Amino acid sequence: MHVLVLGAGQLARMMSLAGAPLNIQLSAYDVGSGNIVHPLTQTVLGHGLDNAIAQADVITAEFEHIPHSILDICQQSGKFFPATEAIKAGGDRRIEKALLDNAGVRNAKYAVIKTREDFDYAIEKVGIPMVLKSALGGYDGKGQWRLKNRADIDTIWQEMAECITSSDTQAIVAEEFVPFQREVSLVGARAKNGTIAVYPLAENVHTDGVLSLSTAIADQNLQQQAEQMFSAVAQSLDYVGVLALEFFDVDGALLVNEIAPRVHNSGHWTQQGAETCQFENHLRAVCGLPLGSTKLVRETAMINILGEDTLPKELLEMAGCHIHWYGKEKRAGRKMGHINVCGDYSGELQRRLCALAKVLDAQAFPAVDDFAKGFSV
Ligand code: AMP
């Protein structure tokens, strides 16, 4: 079986690693250059979308910001999973919001802005404080504004107007500010026959808008709510593959923040913490194979390595500590790799995170440092 992934980043790389034991071969299509590359070595294997499609049995995607023209060609081949409609929803907040509303899934009150009149209407409907997000192209907190005071309306409008006019299809989605206690996400898979298998929820800590620490948690109440919303979204899209839902936890009630129609950073912990990792389950789903068990096998947390290309050697000697580099060139803030940390009995994961905090640079890994400080209180 040969799977083509649209996108040649770390997610295609980890899918390639997970597919090898099942004899699933992967190649990646670099949407920017049009090159077909090996997902591990980045060696150029060929060029052009038609060639890439012709060689593949199945096509999938590792990110949602893909030109619709490319998605439409892939859809026409009949090989693309999940449906391109799902990828388009993940890449456009307007489509995403409409999808959530149609599936009856709770999400923050919102309004779409194209003009200054729309902005005034949004202020009335959504209220201040509000979070303003570009409909297209924004991720990891980029392309966002916070309106906290009426005095800032004109300044923010000027910045947003520049963003809106940058392209015919761009707009802003204004959302009510949600006073959440924490952020959690649910990663799960849906097979071609409609079977759904979800992982335990992960609690997510962000640093400057980027995920920094993600820990699998056991919370029956939240898990139940999240699973119900996951099924509603997955079924409404007749989804095939791994899907992630990000939530705000407001006093024990979940609200969907956004959906990611792909394997997700908050699911990387499954490589060591679950019976079958998210990357393998995505491949199983899109290849029409039965899903693997999503059972938690040990408590696990994932730490993102942001903008660093070396780690203290001690980490390699620490039990339960697994390093995953992505082979990327170093750039400030870039996702360079992650560390999965596991514990086999209650309290061991926390103890190991505290031990890690002692050897990791606190400035580069603030979430781990904060965790250790909170734990020792
Ligand atoms: P997003 O790109 O939508 O995931 O937003 C990035 C981060 O901004 C989220 O992880 C939240 O921490 C925060 N955020 C996004 N939307 C809201 C909202 N409506 N209310 C409060 N915080 C938000």
Side-chain angles (χ1 to χ4, degrees), residues 73-252:
I73 293 170
C74 291
Q75 180 83 357
Q76 278 159 24
S77 73
K79 300 176 181 178
F80 192 87
F81 295 98
T84 52
E85 206 195 329
I87 309 291
K88 289 175 183 172
D92 186 330
R93 292 189 194 272
R94 287 164 293 196
I95 305 177
E96 183 180 48
K97 283 290 201 181
L99 170 82
L100 293 171
D101 286 347
N102 289 337
V105 168
R106 276 194 307 275
N107 63 96
K109 196 162 41 163
Y110 71 100
V112 177
I113 301 172
K114 277 291 267 184
T115 63
R116 177 63 202 245
E117 289 71 37
D118 294 340
F119 190 23
D120 292 337
Y121 172 73
I123 293 167
E124 216 173 280
K125 180 183 171 193
V126 173
I128 297 176
M130 68 162 70
V131 180
L132 297 137
K133 306 176 178 182
S134 58
L136 300 170
Y139 61 94
D140 286 345
K142 293 182 182 74
Q144 293 193 9
W145 297 264
R146 301 278 191 275
L147 176 62
K148 294 178 183 159
N149 305 299
R150 297 197 78 84
D152 298 329
I153 291 175
D154 288 339
T155 323
I156 289 185
W157 170 248
Q158 271 167 21
E159 288 178 27
M160 288 195 321
E162 214 171 288
C163 172
I164 293 169
T165 50
S166 66
S167 122
D168 284 350
T169 48
Q170 185 60 285
I172 303 290
V173 173
E175 255 181 32
E176 65 176 319
F177 181 85
V178 179
F180 59 84
Q181 279 87 43
R182 60 177 173 171
E183 293 181 79
V184 297
S185 57
L186 189 75
V187 173
R190 187 170 181 272
K192 284 189 181 169
N193 67 4
T195 310
I196 286 177
V198 300
Y199 294 97
L201 278 170
E203 180 172 347
N204 302 321
V205 178
H206 296 85
T207 304
D208 299 328
V210 182
L211 183 68
S212 46
L213 176 67
S214 193
T215 310
I217 58 164
D219 184 315
Q220 245 187 337
N221 164 35
L222 295 188
Q223 184 81 26
Q224 214 173 13
Q225 292 179 49
E227 287 188 15
Q228 190 262 325
M229 292 193 243
F230 183 96
S231 296
V233 173
Q235 272 158 21
S236 78
L237 287 165
D238 194 16
Y239 198 87
V240 174
V242 163
L243 167 74
L245 262 58
E246 295 183 49
F247 303 94
F248 298 130
D249 174 3
V250 188
D251 301 323

